[in-house]
Amino acid sequence: MENKNKMADSFKSVLKGNTMIFILVGVMLLFEILIRSFGHGSLFAPANITNIIRQNAYVAILATGMLLCILTGGNIDLSVGSVVALVGALAGVFIVNLGMPVWLAICLCLLIGTLIGAFHGFFIAYIHIPPFITTLAGMLLWRGVATIVLDGKPIAPFPQKYLKLFESFIPNAKANPEEIMVFGELVDKNTLITTLVISLICVLAFVVLEVISRRKKIKNNYTVPSLSSFITKLVVLSIVIMIMGQFLARDRGLPVVLILLGVIVAAYSYFTQNTVPGRYLYAIGGNAKAAKLSGVNTDNVMFFAYTNMGFIAAVAALVTVARLNSAQPTAGQNYEMDAIASCFIGGASAYGGTGTVSGAVVGAIFMGVLNNGMSILGVDMNWQRAVKGLVLLAAVIFDVVSKRKKTSK
C-alpha cells in the first residue's frame, strides 16, 4: 500500500512539475487525430517535425532573452521584431552587397544588436523610463531604420557559405546514400545512426547534469523531489528526447539551428539557475525594493537584461534571414508577441520572479505546434490569431489565480 502511495505521489509530482509538457503532448495528439480524420497527412511526419523546429527556432531564441526581461518584474521588450528586421537588413548589406567575410559580418551584426539593447537598457535602467515606452519607441525607430537601410526592397540571395551555418543538417547528405527500411519508409542509414547516437549522447548528458544538480542541492540543504519522482522525470524526458531523435533521424538528420538553440538554452538555463547574477533577476522580480536593500544593484541588472535582449534578437535575426534566404523590411513582424506569449504559456509569471528557460522553450514549441497544426487543417489566419490570443489569456489567468490561492493560504 505504501509503495502504491509513493508511486502515486511521484507521478503527481512529475505531472505538476511538467504540466506544460503533458499539455503539449496532448495538443499534438489532438491535432494528429484531427489531421488524419480530415485526410491531411500526419502531424508526426518526420519532415513536418523538422519543419516545426526550423520554422520556430527564432521564437524559442527570442523567448530565451525575453524571459530575462519578464523575470525583472513582468517587463517586456516590444522592439525585438524591429531589431530582427534591422540586424537582418544589415546582414544583407554586409554579406550580399559589400561581400564582407561571413564571420566578420556575423560579429558586426551581433555587436550592433547588443548596442541597440544597451541603448534601450540605458534609458530603462538609469533614466528610469518605463520599459514599455522605451521599447515601443524602439519598435518604431528600428523598423523605420531597417526600411531606410533596405530602401524598401529585399536583399537576396545569401551565399551558401552563410546558409550552411544555420540551414544545414548533421550529418551532411551523401550523393549516393545507403538506404534501409524503417517504419515502412526508406531512410539514409548514415543519417539514422548518426542522429540516434547524438540523441543518446544528449540523453546521457542530460541525466548526468540532472544527477549532479540534485546532489549539489542536497549538499546545500535545498528541498528536492523524492528519488522516485526524480527518476520518473528522467525516464519520461529521456524517452521524449529519443522519440524526437528518431523523427529527425528518419528525415534529414539534426538541424544545425537546433544545435544552436540547444547551446543557447543550456547556457541561459545554467546562468539563471546556478549563478548569482542570474538569481538577481528572480530577486528583483520577487521584490525589487528588498533586493535593492540587500545590496543588489537593480539598475545594473535591468541594464544587463535589455542589453542581452538586443544580443539575442541579433542571433534570431541571423537565423531568420538564413531561413528566408533574404533580408526584408517586413521581417520580424509580431515576433515580439510570439516571444512574450511563449514565456507566459511556458510558466513565466506576469508579475516577474517566476519562470524557467526550458519552460519558455516549451511555450515556443507549443506556439509552433498550434501554428503548424492549424495551418495543415486549413484554419483561417484570423481564427489562428484568435486561438493564440485565447491560449495566452488562459495562461495568464492560470498564473494570476494560482498566485492568489497561494497568498490566501
Side-chain angles (χ1 to χ4, degrees):
M1 192 68 178
E2 287 183 7
N3 289 335
K4 286 185 178 180
N5 290 334
K6 285 182 179 179
M7 287 179 64
D9 290 339
S10 64
F11 179 76
K12 286 180 181 178
S13 177
V14 172
L15 186 63
K16 188 176 180 181
N18 301 277
T19 304
M20 199 60 225
I21 293 177
F22 288 107
I23 292 175
L24 173 62
V25 172
V27 169
M28 292 181 75
L29 291 174
L30 176 62
F31 271 124
E32 176 68 5
I33 293 169
L34 292 173
I35 290 168
R36 284 187 177 274
S37 299
F38 287 99
H40 292 299
S42 172
L43 181 73
F44 292 107
N48 194 48
I49 297 296
T50 300
N51 287 335
I52 289 174
I53 293 170
R54 291 175 60 234
Q55 291 170 5
N56 294 280
Y58 75 89
V59 182
I61 292 169
L62 287 173
T64 302
M66 189 68 72
L67 177 70
L68 270 61
C69 297
I70 291 173
L71 288 176
T72 61
N75 301 307
I76 56 176
D77 189 335
L78 294 173
S79 70
V80 293
S82 298
V83 176
V84 167
L86 175 56
V87 174
L90 292 172
V93 171
F94 294 154
I95 297 172
V96 180
N97 291 357
L98 300 180
M100 191 178 290
V102 170
W103 284 106
L104 177 59
I106 289 174
C107 291
L108 282 175
C109 287
L110 294 176
L111 176 62
I112 291 168
T114 304
L115 290 174
I116 291 173
F119 176 80
H120 295 156
F122 173 77
F123 288 104
I124 292 168
Y126 303 119
I127 310 300
H128 299 293
I129 297 175
F132 183 88
I133 301 299
T134 302
T135 58
L136 177 61
M139 180 176 72
L140 301 173
L141 171 62
W142 307 124
R143 179 67 63 180
V145 174
T147 305
I148 292 169
V149 169
L150 292 173
D151 195 23
K153 303 170 185 176
I155 295 177
F158 278 73
Q160 284 298 318
K161 188 176 181 181
Y162 175 78
L163 298 179
K164 283 182 179 179
L165 293 175
F166 301 100
E167 285 294 294
S168 58
F169 293 82
I170 295 176
N172 291 322
K174 292 182 178 180
N176 298 304
E178 181 184 349
E179 296 183 324
I180 57 174
M181 189 70 70
V182 179
F183 297 126
E185 57 187 33
L186 288 173
V187 177
D188 177 22
K189 184 178 179 181
N190 181 45
T191 300
L192 180 71
I193 294 173
T194 304
T195 308
L196 289 179
V197 168
I198 293 173
S199 301
L200 184 59
I201 292 171
C202 290
V203 168
L204 293 174
F206 165 71
V207 171
V208 170
L209 290 173
E210 285 291 315
V211 170
I212 292 172
S213 176
R214 178 182 170 85
R215 284 183 176 178
K216 283 184 178 179
K217 288 178 180 178
I218 292 173
K219 186 178 179 180
N220 294 322
N221 296 320
Y222 287 116
T223 303
V224 295
S226 64
L227 182 60
S228 58
S229 174
F230 176 70
I231 293 172
T232 305
K233 173 188 172 182
L234 291 183
V235 170
V236 170
L237 294 181
S238 296
I239 291 172
V240 169
I241 292 171
M242 290 306 298
I243 290 174
M244 285 297 298
Q246 66 86 25
F247 278 125
L248 298 175
R250 288 160 54 199
D251 188 35
R252 286 168 286 178
L254 200 65
V256 170
V257 72
L258 181 60
I259 297 174
L260 172 64
L261 177 59
V263 170
I264 291 172
V265 170
Y268 280 87
S269 293
Y270 181 84
F271 173 77
T272 54
Q273 299 296 322
N274 297 287
T275 68
V276 174
R279 301 312 297 176
Y280 284 167
L281 295 165
Y282 289 92
I284 292 175
N287 191 323
K289 288 183 179 179
K292 195 167 186 177
L293 291 171
S294 300
V296 177
N297 191 323
T298 55
D299 290 346
N300 285 351
V301 175
M302 289 292 289
F303 179 77
F304 166 76
Y306 280 90
T307 301
N308 174 75
M309 187 69 252
F311 169 77
I312 288 293
V315 175
L318 296 172
V319 171
T320 299
V321 294
R323 182 172 64 86
L324 299 175
N325 196 15
S326 67
Q328 302 178 9
T330 56
Q333 286 185 343
N334 295 323
Y335 280 18
E336 60 277 351
M337 300 305 170
D338 288 337
I340 293 165
S342 298
C343 291
F344 289 136
I345 291 170
S349 172
Y351 302 106
T354 303
T356 61
V357 172
S358 58
V361 172
V362 171
I365 297 171
F366 186 88
M367 293 288 288
V369 169
L370 277 182
N371 288 332
N372 188 266
M374 289 189 289
S375 296
I376 293 174
L377 289 171
V379 177
D380 182 75
M381 187 60 68
N382 295 316
W383 278 108
Q384 289 189 33
R385 293 193 185 101
V387 170
K388 287 192 287 186
L390 288 172
V391 169
L392 174 59
L393 181 62
V396 175
I397 289 172
F398 177 79
D399 170 56
V400 172
V401 171
S402 61
K403 272 191 175 296
R404 283 180 182 172
K405 285 182 178 180
K406 286 180 181 178
T407 54
S408 63
K409 285 182 180 180

